[in-house]
Amino acid sequence: MIRFVLNVLWLIFGGGLVLAVGYGIAALICFVLVITIPFGVASLRLAVYSLWPFGRTVVPKPGAGVGSGLANILWVVLAGWWLALSHILAGVALCVTIIGIPFGIANFKLVPAAFWPLGREVVDVP
């Protein structure tokens, strides 16, 4: 029940909706440019994760190979570093207030996914 309440508050006040829309727009751009479709899939995964982060986590995908690692390097150079930096800055800003600490922690959880998204999957925490 607490996860549900935190997710609803995150969606309204924590920036979850804004993050999801941003990742969704990036995914659409990646889908239009055919060669970047894997990045679009990763952006959609991040959009869904940023909508409902409490009670879920990102784990390495067992079947990910060298291709996803090489694509992640390209992702880091083009988009990953500034996405991760924006989540870090937002997390620090949210942690300034006591009420914002859970939302800051949620932003910190999004940092590894934003920095290195390919070859990972979002799973529910038991």
Side-chain angles (χ1 to χ4, degrees), residues 12 21 24 34 38 45-46 64 69 72 77 83 85-86 92 96-100 110 117:
I12 298 169
V21 168
V34 175
R45 188 178 315 114
L46 290 172
N72 272 326
V77 171
L83 286 171
L85 182 64
S86 66
V92 169
V96 169
T97 64
I98 293 174
I99 295 172
L110 285 164

Side-chain angles (χ1 to χ4, degrees), residues 37-106:
I37 288 176
F39 298 123
V41 173
S43 291
L44 281 180
R45 188 178 315 114
L46 290 172
V48 171
Y49 184 48
S50 66
L51 272 177
W52 213 254
F54 294 98
R56 296 165 57 185
T57 189
V58 178
V59 296
K61 192 180 282 187
V66 175
S68 65
L70 294 174
N72 272 326
I73 293 170
L74 184 61
W75 172 272
V76 168
V77 171
L78 297 176
W81 67 271
W82 62 268
L83 286 171
L85 182 64
S86 66
H87 284 299
I88 290 170
L89 293 175
V92 169
L94 285 167
C95 284
V96 169
T97 64
I98 293 174
I99 295 172
I101 290 174
F103 304 131
I105 292 170

